């Protein structure tokens, strides 16, 4: 997947979470969870944009780790939403799938860049 498509998907994640939280009840619990998931989900796209401006492979990896953490936190909050019955499982299925796909792609990207970086360092040392 290219950078433009990944930017689009991470932004769409944030927008989908915004739409999802509009369905929350007006309880204190819902307010707290809404605040947390909005922060993490919107941070995925915002931090990926920073990745696109990475100055080096090391900078790329560090920034992608932040994206990974925020996406994984979003997955956690989706679990909380489901298990606390704030929304029905059926309403969350597609969003959970997308978050898990994004996490997997970020992890794979970090791994690929790390392997390439390690090979480059080894060749420079010989």
């Amino acid at each position: 997947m290219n950078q433009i498509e990944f930017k689009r998907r991470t932004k769409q994640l944030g927008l989908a979470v915004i739409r999802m939280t509009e369905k929350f009840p007006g309880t204190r619990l819902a307010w707290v969870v809404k605040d947390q998931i909005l922060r993490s989900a919107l941070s995925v796209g915002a931090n990926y944009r920073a990745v696109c401006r990475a100055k080096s492979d090391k900078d790329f990896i560090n920034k992608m780790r932040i994206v990974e953490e925020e996406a994984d936190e979003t997955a956690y909050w989706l679990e909380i939403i489901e298990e606390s019955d704030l929304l029905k499982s059926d309403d969350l299925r597609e969003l959970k799938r997308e978050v898990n796909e994004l996490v997997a792609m970020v992890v794979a990207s970090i791994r690929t860049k790390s392997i390439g970086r390690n090979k480059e360092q080894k060749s420079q040392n010989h």
Side-chain angles (χ1 to χ4, degrees):
M1 172 172 304
N2 67 29
Q3 192 179 76
I4 293 168
E5 177 63 14
F6 204 78
K7 271 185 185 180
R8 187 193 66 75
R9 282 182 72 174
T10 57
K11 183 191 282 186
Q12 289 305 310
L13 170 67
L15 293 169
V17 168
I18 288 170
R19 288 188 292 275
M20 177 203 64
T21 59
E22 293 299 315
K23 300 175 187 174
F24 279 15
T27 64
R28 173 80 174 127
L29 169 66
W31 182 85
V32 170
V33 174
K34 179 179 183 174
D35 185 56
Q36 292 294 321
I37 195 166
L38 283 171
R39 288 174 189 268
S40 64
L42 294 170
S43 185
V44 173
N47 280 294
Y48 184 70
R49 289 177 74 103
V51 167
C52 295
R53 299 195 181 285
K55 307 284 188 270
S56 65
D57 286 351
K58 184 178 177 182
D59 190 31
F60 174 92
I61 292 166
N62 289 333
K63 289 177 185 323
M64 279 297 269
R65 285 188 176 130
I66 295 168
V67 174
E68 177 189 5
E69 289 172 12
E70 296 296 341
D72 188 58
E73 182 179 340
T74 302
Y76 168 80
W77 288 114
L78 289 169
E79 291 170 14
I80 293 296
I81 291 164
E82 182 175 37
E83 293 173 28
S84 67
D85 295 323
L86 280 171
L87 293 176
K88 295 177 184 156
S89 296
D90 290 345
D91 294 336
L92 301 170
R93 187 167 290 122
E94 184 61 28
L95 201 47
K96 287 172 63 177
R97 184 199 57 74
E98 178 66 5
V99 168
N100 288 329
E101 277 186 24
L102 291 172
V103 169
M105 288 186 281
V106 169
V107 169
S109 182
I110 292 169
R111 189 173 294 132
T112 300
K113 188 66 84 170
S114 295
I115 290 168
R117 191 168 183 269
N118 289 339
K119 285 181 181 177
E120 185 180 310
Q121 288 175 340
K122 284 181 183 177
S123 69
Q124 289 174 356
N125 291 337
H126 291 287

